[in-house]
Amino acid sequence: MGKMGSSSIHASGSSSMVSLSGSIIGVLLVLISNQMAVCNGGKTSTFVRKAEKATDMPLDSDVFRVPCGYNAPQQVHITQGDHTGKAVIVSWVTMDEPGSSKVLYWSKNSHHKMKAKGKHHTYKFYNYTSGYIHHCTIRGLEHDTKYYYMVGVGQTARKFWFVTPPEVGPDVPYTFGLIGDLGQSFDSNRTLTHYERNPHKAKTVLYVGDLSYADNYPNHDNVRWDTWGRFVERSTAYQPWIWTAGNHEIDFVPEIGETKPFKPFTNRYHVPYRASDSTAPFWYSIKRASAYIIVLASYSAYGKYTPQYVWLEQELPKVNRTETPWLIVLMHSPWYNSYNYHFMEGETMRVMFEPWFVQYKVDLVFAGHVHAYERSERVSNVAYNIVNGQCTPINDPSAPVYITIGDGGNVEGLANSMTEPQPQYSAYREASFGHAILDIKNRTHAHYSWHRNQDGYAAEADALWFYNRYWHPVDDSTGA
C-alpha cells in the first residue's frame, strides 16, 4: 500500500511539475507575444526625401495669374450641391464690380442653354475687403452626364465643364482623389500636378482640410485666399472638391478684431450641409455613386448633446449599405497618429465617436493635419472604460482603416519626426508629400494607392485592396 502510495505521489508530483512548467512556458510565450505586439509595428518607409525648405510661390507666379478681360470670373470652383449628386454649387469671384451671378449651362448632347441664378456677397477681414463672391446652385441635373457651364455672363464670360456622378447604387464604380493640407508652395504645385497627371483619373477630390494657409501671413493676409483660389482653379472648376474644414480655416484673431471663426472659409466655400439636416457647414454628408461620405469637424464642439454629436448620432443609422456600401469619413485631425506632430490631438473626438465607427462598420477614415503619410491597420480602442485598464488598440475587423494624408506640400514643411518604436496599429508611414486615389470597383472591392511626388505618375508607393466591411468583411491588412 505504502509503495503504491509513494508511486502515486511521485507520479502526481511529476504531473504537477510538468503542468507548472507548461504554465510557466505559456506565461512566457504570452509575455513575449505581448512584448512583440507592443514593439513591432508595421513598415516605416526607407525612402528619404531630400531635406529642403518648403517655400510659398511668389505672388507673380503664373499659377496665380488673373484671367484676362474686364471683371473676368476667377477662383472658380464646384462642389456637390445636394445629397445625391444631381446638383452642383458653382462659386467664383469678380473683382471690379458684382457683374452677373447667373450661370449658363447645357449638356454635352444639347445646345439648349439653361440658366441658374445665384447670389453674391463680400466680406471684410481686418484691412482686407474681398471681391464679389458668387454662389449659384444648379439643380435637376442628369446623372452621368457631361455639362458645360459659363460664368461672367454679360462681361468677360469663361467656360468650363464637369461630369455628374452615376446614379447612386451598390455596384457603381467611382474614383476619388484624396488631398490634404495643400497650401500654395512649390511643393503644393507638384502635388496638384502629380494628381492631375495620375493615369488613374479621379472624378472627385475628397479634401481633408487646410486650404490656403493664409493665416501664416501677417494679419492672416486674405490676398492669399485669392491666390490659392486661382491656383487650384485648374482642378476645382472641372471636378467637385468635397470640403473639410481644418485648423487653418479657423482664422480667429481677436487681437485684430476678428472674432468670428471660419469667416473667409464659410464666405468662399459653400457646401450642401442642409441637404443632410446639418445645422452648420462644418459637418454634413453626401452620397456619390456607391459611397456615403460623412464630413466631420475637428474644430467644432463634438461632446455629448452638442449639435455635431446629435447630428452624427442620427446620421449613421440612415446609411443604407445595400444602396451605398462604402462608408467613408473625412476629418482633419487624425485619431491614430504615430508622428510627434499633433500627437493625441484627435483623442477626445476618438473617445466620443469611435464606438459608433465600429458599430456601423465604417470602411475608411481620411484625415490631414500631420504633414506626412500614414495608414493604420483595422484597429479599435473602444474597450477602455477608465477603470479596466484595457487601453491598447486591438485588431478589429469591424473597424475602419485610418489614413493620414496631410501631405499636400504646404509652407510648414514635412512632419519627419516619428514616434519610436512604431506602434502595432501603424501599418505604413512615410514623411513625403503626395496624394492618394481610391478606386471603388463594386460593393465588395476598392483599390487604394498613395503616390509620392518624387515618383512617376503611375507609381504606387503604398497600395492595398480594401474589402468592404458590410459586404465582404475579410482581412485586408496586407499592403502591396
Side-chain angles (χ1 to χ4, degrees):
M1 287 287 294
K3 192 172 182 179
M4 290 179 63
S6 176
S7 294
S8 298
I9 292 171
H10 179 73
S12 175
S14 298
S15 175
S16 299
M17 289 178 69
V18 169
S19 176
L20 181 59
S21 299
S23 299
I24 293 171
I25 291 170
V27 170
L28 287 173
L29 287 172
V30 169
L31 289 173
I32 291 169
S33 175
N34 287 344
Q35 186 66 23
M36 288 174 66
V38 171
C39 295
N40 294 340
K43 178 182 178 182
T44 297
S45 173
T46 57
F47 179 86
V48 179
R49 182 182 184 275
K50 181 182 177 183
E52 57 186 15
K53 181 178 173 59
T55 305
D56 271 349
M57 294 178 284
L59 291 173
D60 60 357
S61 299
D62 60 349
V63 297
F64 299 148
R65 186 182 296 121
V66 176
C68 297
Y70 176 71
N71 209 36
Q74 58 171 271
Q75 307 173 51
V76 181
H77 56 273
I78 63 174
T79 193
Q80 186 158 314
D82 66 353
H83 203 239
T84 61
K86 295 189 71 174
V88 168
I89 301 172
V90 182
S91 305
W92 71 97
V93 178
T94 52
M95 288 297 190
D96 303 307
E97 60 170 285
S100 172
S101 292
K102 289 181 181 177
V103 175
L104 297 180
Y105 65 99
W106 61 99
S107 69
K108 180 181 179 180
N109 299 319
S110 171
H111 297 289
H112 174 64
K113 291 183 172 63
M114 295 171 280
K115 297 180 182 178
K117 187 175 182 180
K119 296 180 179 180
H120 74 268
H121 63 272
T122 63
Y123 75 91
K124 293 179 182 285
F125 192 96
Y126 187 52
N127 60 357
Y128 168 91
T129 302
S130 75
Y132 301 92
I133 303 171
H134 303 255
H135 300 285
C136 179
T137 302
I138 306 173
R139 302 184 187 279
L141 300 172
E142 297 295 324
H143 282 298
D144 205 11
T145 303
K146 185 173 185 177
Y147 285 89
Y148 297 94
Y149 69 99
M150 292 178 65
V151 291
V153 177
Q155 293 176 330
T156 302
R158 297 182 68 202
K159 177 182 172 182
F160 305 92
W161 56 265
F162 61 82
V163 178
T164 54
E167 187 173 357
V168 171
D171 289 304
V172 179
Y174 202 76
T175 307
F176 293 98
L178 288 131
I179 302 175
D181 299 66
L182 188 59
Q184 47 196 302
S185 72
F186 290 100
D187 286 304
S188 312
N189 194 30
R190 293 185 190 102
T191 298
L192 190 54
T193 300
H194 213 65
Y195 167 70
E196 293 170 313
R197 296 183 181 179
N198 192 315
H200 303 288
K201 293 298 182 184
K203 302 169 184 175
T204 295
V205 170
L206 305 180
Y207 193 85
V208 293
D210 282 3
L211 283 66
S212 72
Y213 286 79
D215 60 345
N216 278 357
Y217 285 81
N219 301 316
H220 293 221
D221 184 3
N222 273 224
V223 168
R224 280 291 179 174
W225 276 101
D226 293 321
T227 56
W228 194 81
R230 294 197 293 270
F231 160 51
V232 297
E233 182 188 86
R234 69 202 208 210
S235 177
T236 60
Y238 297 94
Q239 61 178 229
W241 285 36
I242 308 304
W243 302 109
T244 307
N247 58 298
H248 284 276
E249 280 70 75
I250 298 174
D251 284 305
F252 177 74
V253 207
E255 59 269 27
I256 59 173
E258 292 298 339
T259 56
K260 183 179 179 181
F262 301 101
K263 185 198 283 187
F265 175 72
T266 52
N267 275 281
R268 293 171 182 269
Y269 294 93
H270 281 192
V271 297
Y273 68 95
R274 291 187 180 92
S276 56
D277 298 323
S278 170
T279 54
F282 312 114
W283 57 90
Y284 62 99
S285 71
I286 61 168
K287 300 175 187 177
R288 201 162 184 89
S290 50
Y292 201 104
I293 297 159
I294 292 177
V295 177
L296 294 181
S298 297
Y299 304 99
S300 300
Y302 44 75
K304 200 165 187 179
Y305 311 122
T306 61
Q308 183 172 195
Y309 179 99
V310 171
W311 176 82
L312 185 60
E313 185 178 34
Q314 295 172 350
E315 179 70 10
L316 285 167
K318 296 178 183 177
V319 182
N320 179 359
R321 302 296 281 275
T322 64
E323 178 193 48
T324 49
W326 293 92
L327 180 51
I328 300 166
V329 176
L330 311 180
M331 62 180 69
H332 187 63
S333 186
W335 294 357
Y336 287 91
N337 163 35
S338 68
Y339 288 80
N340 288 316
Y341 301 82
H342 306 303
F343 187 63
M344 298 281 284
E345 284 184 19
E347 183 66 3
T348 52
M349 184 185 246
R350 182 196 68 75
V351 169
M352 295 305 300
F353 292 159
E354 188 180 23
W356 291 347
F357 283 21
V358 174
Q359 178 185 349
Y360 291 99
K361 299 184 186 298
V362 172
D363 290 289
L364 297 161
V365 177
F366 293 98
H369 203 35
V370 178
H371 300 163
Y373 174 73
E374 184 166 22
R375 171 175 56 84
S376 81
E377 303 287 0
R378 291 199 183 277
V379 293
S380 68
N381 192 7
V382 297
Y384 179 58
N385 64 8
I386 213 168
V387 295
N388 62 12
Q390 298 177 33
C391 54
T392 300
I394 60 170
N395 291 333
D396 188 338
S398 295
V401 168
Y402 294 87
I403 295 175
T404 300
I405 191 143
D407 54 355
N410 66 79
V411 71
E412 293 180 348
L414 280 169
N416 52 16
S417 175
M418 306 173 185
T419 62
E420 297 296 346
Q422 183 174 5
Q424 186 186 17
Y425 66 74
S426 176
Y428 183 92
R429 60 185 185 177
E430 178 175 323
S432 291
F433 292 138
H435 71 277
I437 299 289
L438 178 64
D439 189 6
I440 296 174
K441 302 296 187 181
N442 50 39
R443 74 182 69 191
T444 58
H445 289 71
H447 185 262
Y448 167 82
S449 55
W450 175 67
H451 305 260
R452 67 165 80 92
N453 288 354
Q454 284 72 22
D455 294 338
Y457 298 121
E460 300 177 340
D462 182 37
L464 194 72
W465 279 99
F466 285 128
Y467 305 131
N468 187 269
R469 292 300 91 190
Y470 182 87
W471 287 101
H472 194 52
V474 299
D475 183 20
D476 56 9
S477 61
T478 302

